[in-house]
């Protein structure tokens, strides 16, 4: 099955600096890669996603890049703010199971230092 | 819209006791999922359902059972709780359809088994 690895597990950045979280996946046929943000005491929430026919996608301060050849994708947060502090999860859809199931990475705890 | 709701929010069980976690969604979603979240292990899929009356095993199904008698509800049962089932449990739901991958999560249930 699909295997998603996520790094780093913890990340601290100064407010206003950029943060980058990286994930690798094993199934070369995976075609959908979302990022979820989990705030303390809440369930994860989708913040951005990318499909395998696109190399980069931006939404205000958040961007995701995909390298299909290397089988990795990254989340970039620019001009970080205190409200960006949360746990971030990457995920991928293993093609062999259609669109029913996501395989999640192990998460990155991002802390923004004021 | 309430979205995805979970009951209870917290529960403490003794080893060998049984309980049922209830998930309800009011978005008319076809797909529903149960995950468990443990430190350093991300979100792991327990069971999922692709429609009313259907269930399927996920990555870590042992010790759990599920039922989807109504489209809006997805129940997770523990017949004989074990300390290894201490975790935070999340329910999620999603649309069915091409490209409809976003999962909507509930707020979670924190379960402690002593």
């Amino acid at each position: 099955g699909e295997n998603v690895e996520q790094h780093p597990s913890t990340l601290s950045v100064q407010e206003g600096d950029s943060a980058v979280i990286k994930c690798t996946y094993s199934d070369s046929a995976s075609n959908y890669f979302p990022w979820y943000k989990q705030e303390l005491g809440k369930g994860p929430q989708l913040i951005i996603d990318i499909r395998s026919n696109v190399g980069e996608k931006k939404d205000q301060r958040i961007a995701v890049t995909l390298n299909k050849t290397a089988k990795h994708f990254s989340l970039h947060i620019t001009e970080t703010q205190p409200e960006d502090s949360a746990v971030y999860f990457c995920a991928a859809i293993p093609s062999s199971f259609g669109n029913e199931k996501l395989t999640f990475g192990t998460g990155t705890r991002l802390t923004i230092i004021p | 819209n309430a979205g995805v709701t979970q009951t209870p929010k917290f529960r403490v069980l003794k080893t060998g006791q049984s309980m049922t976690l209830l998930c309800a969604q009011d978005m008319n979603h076809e797909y529903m999922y149960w995950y468990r979240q443990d430190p350093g292990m991300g979100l792991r899929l327990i069971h999922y359902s692709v429609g009313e009356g259907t269930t399927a095993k996920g990555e870590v199904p042992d010790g759990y059972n599920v039922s989807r008698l109504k489209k809006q509800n997805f129940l997770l049962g523990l017949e004989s709780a074990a300390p290894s089932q201490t975790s935070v449990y999340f329910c999620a739901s999603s649309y069915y359809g091409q490209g409809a991958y976003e999962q909507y999560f509930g707020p979670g249930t924190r379960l402690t088994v002593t």
Side-chain angles (χ1 to χ4, degrees):
Chain A
E2 176 69 278
N3 182 47
V4 178
E5 295 188 357
Q6 183 171 347
H7 300 281
S9 57
T10 60
L11 179 62
S12 295
V13 300
Q14 209 69 35
E15 182 178 352
D17 288 350
S18 296
V20 180
I21 303 170
K22 298 181 180 179
C23 289
T24 60
Y25 60 98
S26 60
D27 187 342
S28 58
S30 286
N31 56 11
Y32 175 71
F33 308 93
W35 286 90
Y36 284 78
K37 176 183 181 183
Q38 185 179 25
E39 297 177 344
L40 192 62
K42 297 183 178 181
Q45 185 173 12
L46 180 71
I47 56 172
I48 195 167
D49 56 17
I50 192 167
R51 301 180 191 277
S52 59
N53 59 346
V54 175
E56 183 177 5
K57 183 177 178 181
K58 290 182 179 180
D59 183 2
Q60 299 182 340
R61 297 187 295 108
I62 296 173
V64 56
T65 58
L66 172 65
N67 184 326
K68 288 177 60 180
T69 302
K71 290 190 286 186
H72 68 69
F73 56 111
S74 300
L75 177 70
H76 305 255
I77 305 174
T78 59
E79 301 173 8
T80 53
Q81 300 171 3
E83 55 264 36
D84 295 328
S85 292
V87 178
Y88 292 82
F89 292 97
C90 63
I93 285 208
S95 60
S96 59
F97 297 105
N99 65 352
E100 301 107 20
K101 300 193 298 183
L102 290 170
T103 297
F104 284 89
T106 51
T108 296
R109 182 175 299 279
L110 174 63
T111 302
I112 306 302
I113 305 167
Chain B
N1 281 357
V4 179
T5 58
Q6 293 182 232
T7 53
K9 288 185 170 53
F10 304 94
R11 186 71 186 269
V12 178
L13 285 179
K14 293 185 177 179
T15 298
Q17 287 185 321
S18 63
M19 77 163 294
T20 300
L21 282 67
L22 172 63
C23 175
Q25 53 93 5
D26 61 2
M27 296 174 283
N28 202 33
H29 286 170
E30 289 290 339
Y31 291 3
M32 296 187 75
Y33 314 80
W34 276 106
Y35 294 91
R36 60 177 290 172
Q37 184 176 29
D38 302 294
M41 303 190 75
L43 292 154
R44 292 184 293 168
L45 184 64
I46 304 171
H47 287 280
Y48 67 104
S49 168
V50 299
E52 181 178 321
T54 74
T55 63
K57 294 181 180 180
E59 181 186 358
V60 290
D62 293 343
Y64 305 95
N65 57 76
V66 288
S67 64
R68 183 106 181 263
L69 299 179
K70 294 182 178 181
K71 185 177 183 179
Q72 63 269 33
N73 296 336
F74 195 28
L75 279 63
L76 177 70
L78 286 73
E79 291 185 347
S80 180
S84 60
Q85 294 177 304
T86 293
S87 187
V88 180
Y89 291 85
F90 287 98
C91 176
S93 67
S94 66
Y95 289 108
Y96 167 78
Q98 187 176 7
Y101 299 131
E102 181 176 359
Q103 294 189 12
Y104 296 79
F105 284 82
T109 295
R110 183 173 294 276
L111 174 65
T112 302
V113 183
T114 62

